[in-house]
Amino acid sequence: MAAIPIHDPTRPPLDKASTQTRDTTCYMCACRCGIRVHLRDGEVRYIEGNPDHPLNQGVICAKGSSGIMKQYSPARLTKPLRRKPGSERGDGEFETIEWDEALTLLEQRLQKIRATDPKQFALFTGRDQMQALTGLFARQFGTPNYAAHGGFCSVNMAAGMIYTIGGSFWEFGGPDLDRAKLFVMIGTAEDHHSNPMKIALSKFKRAGGRFVSINPVRTGYSAIADEWVPIKPGTDGALLLALIHEIIKLGLYDRDFLARYTNAGQLVNQDSASDQFGMMLRNAEATIANPLRPANFLWWDRLGQRAVDDHAEGADPALLGHFKLADGTPAVPAFQLLQERVKAYTPDWAAEITGIPAATIRRLAHEMGITARDQKIELPIAWTDSWGQRHASVKGNPVAFHAMRGLAAHSNGFQTIRSLAILMSLLGTIDRPGGFRHKAPYPRAVPPNARPPKGPQAVQPNKPLDGAPLGWPESPDDLFVDAEGGPVRIDKGFSWEHPLSAHGLMHNVITNAWRGDPYPIDTLLIFMANMAWNSTMNTSEVRKMLNDKREDGEYKIPFLVVCDAFQSEMTAYADLVLPDTTYLERHDCMSILDRPISEFDGPVDSVRIPVLPPTGECRPFQEVLVELASRLKFPAFVTPEGARKYRDYPDFIVNYETAPGSGIGFLAGWRGKGGEKSMRGEPNPKQWEMYAKNHCVFHHRMAPEHQYMRNWNKGYMAWAQSVGLRRDNDPIVIHIYSEFLQGFRLAAQGKRAGKQPPQHLRKRVETYFDPLPFYYAPLEEQATDRTRFPLNAVTQRPMAMYHSWDSQNAWLRQIHTHNYLFVNPRVAQAAGIADGGWMWVESTWGKVRCLCRYSEAVEPGTVWTWNAIGKATGAWGLSDDANESQRGFLLNHLISEELPGQLSNSDPITGQAAWYDVRVRIRAVDADEPATTWPQFKAAPQAPGTGIAPRWRAFFAGQELKK
Ligand code: SF4
């Protein structure tokens, strides 16, 4: 008889077993793996990966399986709370109130703001997964002051890639490791796309692929890399430009790909006397297919030796050379300008900056180039491109990349990531097998169609905002500024300070509102964002700002509402706390309208379905938003007669359509009256049940001929347009050269009519809005004496903890309760710091006392630590002597949200928080210093309603051991 495995996750429960299993979607990090939750007598006993889920295929990580301890955490908030009259913010003194009272209080306050000046209300959220709903709420309220955490996280990655290739890494695209031969991971920790990346890397390595990791620190995925290339933080752009230099010099770029699918061959105006200098030349006589994005560009046909319409039948564009149009206008192909730009970016130049030997840079460039050229893939899939040419097969160049926050969180990150996208394009790897592949709803137009509102007139009392609060500016006229060029948003997003801030600047909200620059606000609603701790730079000062008062005794930010499931550092500052549910207690949807879990072969969306009722008086934040939107009578939430449209959040998800009768809603699966349609169709009252029967996931596999070359794939475009993934069906040509950036530069130079930057920002815009990528040292580095602060300091998330979420989790605390500053032994020894000893780390902005750990896995110019393991005393249900507050530390105390002159410490193009730019020095502690971390904060008391879960429970063979 075959042996019965002790654990077979695919086997149904034994007969008479009192366990139940329920499918839902994990939310212990943002990767959204499918899970099966085992319940006994209504309690969670076990969580496993769902083998039938396309994303994780049964794989689960330490965080995912520890969800049980999040559910039963002593730090859970279970009752709405109000700050006790007479107590100060930060003291954490609360009294319980009823939900109805809390909602009425909010309704009345918000009603007043909405009827007078809607921008007095700001909504900022953390790593939530419902930005389609929170964004809709803000827009319907009429406030521009909304964003999630993207400006802090990786907006440079999104914007740098999307403004170049119309797609980005992680949720919207990634490396095709099933077919790649060479994989280069740069600036990535192990937290984005975690389980899928582990599965893909394991297959890739077993199949003989070569994995190169470029990172200041060798940790996580890098541990299994074939080669680790240490690099100094913030210098990735120099490396990438040197790689481009070498690839062009060696002629190892994919000329055919560049000529047909990028703007490398498009002619750029070189008449320096013209106000069109640097813009693409156009044929005014050409037929315009899409007036919203006229594509009447010119090529220099190297066969006919004359200017022709781009993609003219039989023409072959020159990529190099200097030409003159018939009217005498000097013109060059964009690629010529790129070649000229990178001429000085030699490997020897980059070696000085990056710390990577020039020979290594040359070898890597050569390896990338010949792998792409000599190991081509050809799939027998016929397809037709946007210009009507039929191709018998899909070809691929098997060099794949993956990059994330290590490149993004620098003030030079946008141009760095433009360089990466251009390198990937030179190698001919975009949406091709073995290279980078898009995931629905991407690719999108360069830039996508959504634009921010155009000025203060977009904000009107009792009216929805005129435009989505976030978008993708195409020209200076899309900026959200007033008549003087000043910002309209509280975070100064889409202003001349940070024109392309597609995800907002969460890290500047509290400072700006405290200072009243550009104006004070009344109410700040924060959801799942620990903005008094790790989701802010300059943590100690920001905490003071939250407590600071005006002359009349009112707080400078008068009303602070925090919605969270746990007692965090942030909740202590709230005037009103709304207890959220856990992910096991609520409905959620990972929507195509937002950030779905799509695969390369088609759109995938997924849901969470409650496996447990809410604990105590917890309510899902989604329900709170639907309730408030209905009470405040937002047009999208009430009938024309003013009656409530949606019973609750699940009802909203089923019945909401993007426009009346559009057939497009939050979920793409099982649409149509009986669930017979997908992607588009009438609302289906049984949609949730159908997701429940299908492991909470819907996967639409596109026809094979629609799965590649989607930027220029005629068949895909027609399908995408028919299901609402795209507004237009014109090709998405790769922007090697960005005339959009040049448009901003021309405005800064006073050569363009329309919106003009304020005088003090002209030079800044002119400098950074370069249509070609270039390298500059991070802004903080430029402003810092490098001899006094010789080291870079970076922070990253560990595998076992996500943001600050998990220090209340008893199982995960067994992996990390405190963090070290990892220092190269040579550097630590030179400073007289012992391995495991206490030390000081200091920046221009602050200092922290912490524990040192020697590590050979960090390049000598860098020190690093895990993010947000250190906690403030009293938060997260931890005892006052917990390791997290006594031995753990937060690097954010060393970082500043502003540079001298009150300019945000951010990328000047996108507003990405430059929290990886900080420069530090280290020293040993004095012999008589206490063995605790510094700074320390007054302990917040346990909030009412927390602590209902026991600190310890013991089980044996499924039975609880009672004392
Ligand atoms: S990778 Fe993230 S979503 Fe997946 S199981 Fe782990 S914690 Fe859950």
Side-chain angles (χ1 to χ4, degrees):
M1 195 173 89
I4 299 173
I6 292 172
H7 172 69
D8 175 4
T10 61
R11 200 180 63 189
L14 297 173
D15 290 348
K16 296 187 194 152
S18 59
T19 57
Q20 292 175 295
T21 49
R22 304 256 177 88
D23 291 350
T24 189
T25 305
C26 185
Y27 197 6
M28 292 295 287
C29 85
C31 291
R32 301 153 298 173
C33 299
I35 49 171
R36 282 181 176 166
V37 182
H38 294 243
L39 300 158
R40 179 177 284 184
D41 303 327
E43 270 197 332
V44 183
R45 289 296 177 84
Y46 176 50
I47 299 174
E48 63 184 343
N50 186 342
D52 298 313
H53 197 278
L55 194 75
N56 57 316
Q57 302 156 42
V59 173
I60 194 160
C61 75
K63 298 186 293 275
S65 52
S66 302
I68 180 170
M69 301 311 280
K70 184 173 216 167
Q71 181 63 27
Y72 302 119
S73 158
R76 285 207 55 186
L77 296 160
T78 62
K79 290 174 185 299
L81 304 171
R82 177 166 50 197
R83 185 164 54 81
K84 272 190 184 161
S87 71
E88 292 296 329
R89 282 191 189 155
D91 290 351
E93 300 277 352
F94 292 107
E95 59 189 16
T96 60
I97 60 167
E98 298 303 317
W99 264 107
D100 214 36
E101 194 183 352
L103 287 168
T104 304
L105 196 156
L106 257 180
E107 178 192 347
Q108 287 170 354
R109 193 162 192 122
L110 294 184
Q111 199 156 44
K112 206 165 137 203
I113 296 172
R114 189 165 187 259
T116 49
D117 182 6
K119 64 180 186 305
Q120 292 289 308
F121 168 63
L123 167 60
F124 282 82
T125 74
R127 194 48 180 100
D128 69 284
Q129 297 181 338
M130 51 166 161
Q131 289 160 33
L133 174 64
T134 49
L136 177 70
F137 183 91
R139 182 174 182 175
Q140 290 280 309
F141 185 92
T143 182
N145 293 326
Y146 160 79
H149 87 311
F152 203 88
C153 178
S154 290
V155 65
N156 269 338
M157 180 53 65
M161 295 280 283
I162 288 170
Y163 273 90
T164 307
I165 65 166
S168 182
F169 280 115
W170 186 26
E171 287 148 314
F172 302 135
D176 178 9
L177 292 186
D178 282 351
R179 296 200 184 87
K181 303 281 187 228
L182 174 64
F183 177 47
V184 181
M185 183 178 263
I186 176 163
T188 309
E190 49 274 289
D191 51 353
H192 288 107
H193 209 48
S194 177
N195 282 342
M197 180 57 77
K198 287 174 213 155
I199 297 167
L201 267 178
S202 149
K203 280 197 213 156
F204 173 77
K205 289 271 291 177
R206 281 172 216 274
R210 197 170 116 74
F211 172 17
V212 177
S213 169
I214 302 170
N215 203 310
V217 178
R218 182 170 198 170
T219 180
Y221 301 134
S222 302
I224 59 159
D226 298 291
E227 181 177 359
W228 172 44
V229 181
I231 184 169
K232 293 192 186 309
T235 68
D236 313 272
L239 169 68
L240 292 162
L241 288 162
L243 291 169
I244 293 173
H245 168 102
E246 278 297 290
I247 300 263
I248 293 178
K249 194 178 107 186
L250 297 171
L252 286 173
Y253 52 89
D254 186 334
R255 189 191 184 282
D256 294 345
F257 182 86
L258 287 175
R260 191 155 187 87
Y261 303 119
T262 78
N263 68 5
Q266 287 176 11
L267 294 177
V268 183
N269 188 328
Q270 291 298 283
D271 178 2
S272 56
S274 161
D275 58 7
Q276 288 295 301
F277 176 77
M279 300 300 279
M280 294 300 182
L281 287 156
R282 288 179 152 83
N283 175 8
E285 312 293 315
T287 316
I288 305 284
N290 179 5
L292 293 169
R293 259 192 306 274
N296 48 342
F297 304 108
L298 294 172
W299 281 351
W300 188 265
D301 180 19
R302 61 178 184 164
L303 305 174
Q305 283 301 310
R306 63 189 178 93
V308 296
D309 289 345
D310 80 346
H311 293 90
E313 191 69 38
D316 183 10
L319 299 189
L320 295 168
H322 291 256
F323 308 103
K324 260 202 172 47
L325 300 192
D327 64 1
T329 307
V332 293
F335 188 75
Q336 170 71 33
L337 294 173
L338 178 69
Q339 190 207 37
E340 289 170 12
R341 166 56 52 88
V342 298
K343 223 168 216 156
Y345 293 140
T346 63
D348 294 290
W349 165 83
E352 287 287 308
I353 296 167
T354 60
I356 303 171
T360 305
I361 299 173
R362 285 195 189 93
R363 174 173 54 77
L364 285 174
H366 187 252
E367 184 179 359
M368 289 173 193
I370 58 163
T371 307
R373 186 193 65 189
D374 299 344
Q375 299 199 46
K376 281 201 187 303
I377 297 167
E378 191 159 2
L379 303 179
I381 300 171
W383 65 288
T384 304
D385 73 25
S386 293
W387 301 277
Q389 188 171 318
R390 188 77 178 152
H391 301 262
S393 61
V394 168
K395 297 195 175 104
N397 302 343
V399 181
F401 293 80
H402 186 59
M404 274 313 293
R405 194 180 308 111
L407 264 66
H410 298 285
S411 51
N412 59 7
F414 178 83
Q415 290 289 8
T416 295
I417 290 159
R418 279 262 300 143
S419 308
L420 173 64
I422 289 169
L423 173 65
M424 289 160 59
S425 304
L426 294 188
L427 294 167
T429 64
I430 307 301
D431 212 34
R432 294 176 110 182
F436 170 88
R437 291 181 68 193
H438 292 295
K439 297 177 189 173
Y442 283 80
R444 284 189 160 155
V446 177
N449 301 327
R451 304 276 175 268
K454 301 254 188 281
Q457 68 282 0
V459 185
Q460 297 289 340
N462 280 332
K463 285 206 173 131
L465 188 71
D466 185 14
L470 300 171
W472 305 90
E474 188 179 84
S475 82
D477 297 330
D478 292 330
L479 292 184
F480 197 7
V481 290
D482 61 24
E484 287 74 46
V488 181
R489 286 175 58 105
I490 188 69
D491 60 2
K492 306 190 183 180
F494 306 114
S495 73
W496 287 100
E497 281 187 28
H498 308 285
L500 308 186
S501 46
H503 292 174
L505 292 89
M506 172 204 210
H507 46 291
N508 286 117
V509 170
I510 291 172
T511 307
N512 292 358
W514 165 79
R515 192 180 283 133
D517 174 20
Y519 46 80
I521 60 170
D522 177 86
T523 296
L524 174 59
L525 171 55
I526 294 174
F527 172 55
M528 269 180 78
N530 202 352
M531 286 164 75
W533 197 247
N534 59 301
S535 287
T536 197
M537 302 149 95
N538 200 1
T539 302
S540 302
E541 289 305 308
V542 164
R543 289 160 71 92
K544 285 183 201 152
M545 291 173 197
L546 288 171
N547 239 351
D548 198 17
K549 291 183 175 163
R550 307 187 305 223
E551 276 177 7
D552 64 1
E554 179 61 274
Y555 284 110
K556 288 200 167 168
I557 303 173
F559 199 57
L560 200 52
V561 187
V562 178
C563 182
D564 211 312
F566 302 98
Q567 183 181 0
S568 69
E569 288 84 354
M570 187 69 238
T571 52
Y573 287 86
D575 299 303
L576 183 67
V577 177
L578 306 176
D580 191 21
T581 53
T582 67
Y583 67 104
L584 297 176
E585 299 170 341
R586 67 164 177 252
H587 290 89
D588 259 334
C589 80
M590 277 55 74
S591 166
I592 303 279
L593 302 183
D594 194 335
R595 295 173 172 221
I597 57 165
S598 296
E599 297 279 323
F600 298 144
D601 66 3
V604 189
D605 64 15
S606 58
V607 299
R608 294 193 181 93
I609 294 179
V611 301
L612 292 166
T615 299
E617 292 168 33
C618 294
R619 271 194 203 182
F621 187 54
Q622 294 98 326
E623 295 289 2
V624 173
L625 289 182
V626 171
E627 179 66 32
L628 283 172
S630 307
R631 290 186 185 205
L632 292 166
K633 300 199 182 301
F634 293 172
F637 288 79
V638 291
T639 63
E641 296 73 39
R644 185 178 179 130
K645 244 190 195 169
Y646 306 110
R647 190 177 57 247
D648 52 20
Y649 176 68
D651 188 44
F652 166 80
I653 290 298
V654 166
N655 290 304
Y656 174 81
E657 291 179 280
T658 51
S662 71
I664 298 172
F666 274 66
L667 291 174
W670 298 284
R671 299 193 69 83
K673 291 207 169 71
E676 68 286 355
K677 297 181 185 168
S678 58
M679 300 302 295
R680 194 166 198 167
E682 307 85 337
N684 164 19
K686 298 248 180 281
Q687 199 175 26
W688 284 104
E689 284 95 314
M690 292 181 177
Y691 270 86
K693 277 191 200 137
N694 289 278
H695 309 292
C696 295
V697 61
F698 164 74
H699 187 172
H700 176 88
R701 285 187 183 78
M702 300 181 301
E705 64 269 27
H706 295 168
Q707 293 182 14
Y708 299 92
M709 304 297 280
R710 277 165 283 185
N711 292 50
W712 326 272
N713 184 322
K714 198 171 185 176
Y716 167 77
M717 288 295 181
W719 175 79
Q721 200 180 26
S722 73
V723 297
L725 287 180
R726 288 212 69 210
R727 184 190 66 190
D728 310 307
N729 65 0
D730 47 357
I732 302 164
V733 171
I734 291 171
H735 284 223
I736 300 288
Y737 181 93
S738 177
E739 72 165 346
F740 299 132
L741 297 180
Q742 178 67 8
F744 284 87
R745 176 176 266 185
L746 289 176
Q749 291 169 338
K751 292 183 178 168
R752 184 185 183 282
K755 290 182 180 170
Q756 297 295 308
Q759 199 53 37
H760 71 284
L761 292 171
R762 279 191 186 273
K763 191 73 206 154
R764 172 178 160 110
V765 175
E766 182 184 4
T767 303
Y768 297 109
F769 277 76
D770 193 312
L772 287 164
F774 73 110
Y775 177 75
Y776 57 96
L779 302 184
E780 175 158 354
E781 189 170 316
Q782 292 179 30
T784 307
D785 180 347
R786 291 179 58 178
T787 52
R788 286 185 65 221
F789 297 99
L791 301 167
N792 287 101
V794 293
T795 176
Q796 62 170 294
R797 286 199 293 258
M799 275 192 185
M801 297 257 174
Y802 195 69
H803 292 283
S804 61
W805 296 2
D806 296 312
S807 290
Q808 36 73 30
N809 189 307
W811 287 358
L812 296 176
R813 287 192 70 220
Q814 293 178 44
I815 302 173
H816 300 283
T817 56
H818 67 280
N819 51 327
Y820 293 94
L821 190 73
F822 292 98
V823 188
N824 190 285
R826 278 191 284 136
V827 178
Q829 281 160 358
I833 303 166
D835 186 19
W838 287 96
M839 61 180 287
W840 284 100
V841 52
E842 300 169 331
S843 72
T844 310
W845 319 106
K847 62 177 187 175
V848 166
R849 185 169 55 219
C850 60
L851 285 165
C852 173
R853 177 63 78 215
Y854 287 7
S855 172
E856 296 283 356
V858 53
E859 71 92 22
T862 304
V863 295
W864 73 278
T865 191
W866 297 126
N867 183 37
I869 301 295
K871 296 289 195 297
T873 320
W876 301 96
L878 299 171
S879 57
D880 288 356
D881 61 353
N883 275 0
E884 282 83 349
S885 61
Q886 303 305 300
R887 295 166 69 82
F889 72 100
L890 187 70
L891 198 79
N892 302 42
H893 293 299
L894 301 175
I895 305 172
S896 174
E897 82 285 32
E898 291 184 333
L899 293 172
Q902 294 183 359
L903 266 185
S904 173
N905 184 7
S906 300
D907 189 298
I909 299 172
T910 60
Q912 157 89 52
W915 54 307
Y916 282 24
D917 282 351
V918 68
R919 305 281 308 181
V920 301
R921 63 187 174 205
I922 56 174
R923 64 179 168 90
V925 292
D926 295 333
D928 56 352
E929 288 191 41
T932 50
T933 188
W934 191 92
Q936 288 288 328
F937 300 91
K938 193 174 121 193
Q942 190 177 338
T946 59
I948 63 165
R951 281 190 183 273
W952 294 101
R953 291 174 77 188
F955 291 83
F956 182 74
Q959 300 298 316
E960 184 161 11
L961 302 177
K962 301 283 181 197
K963 278 190 194 148

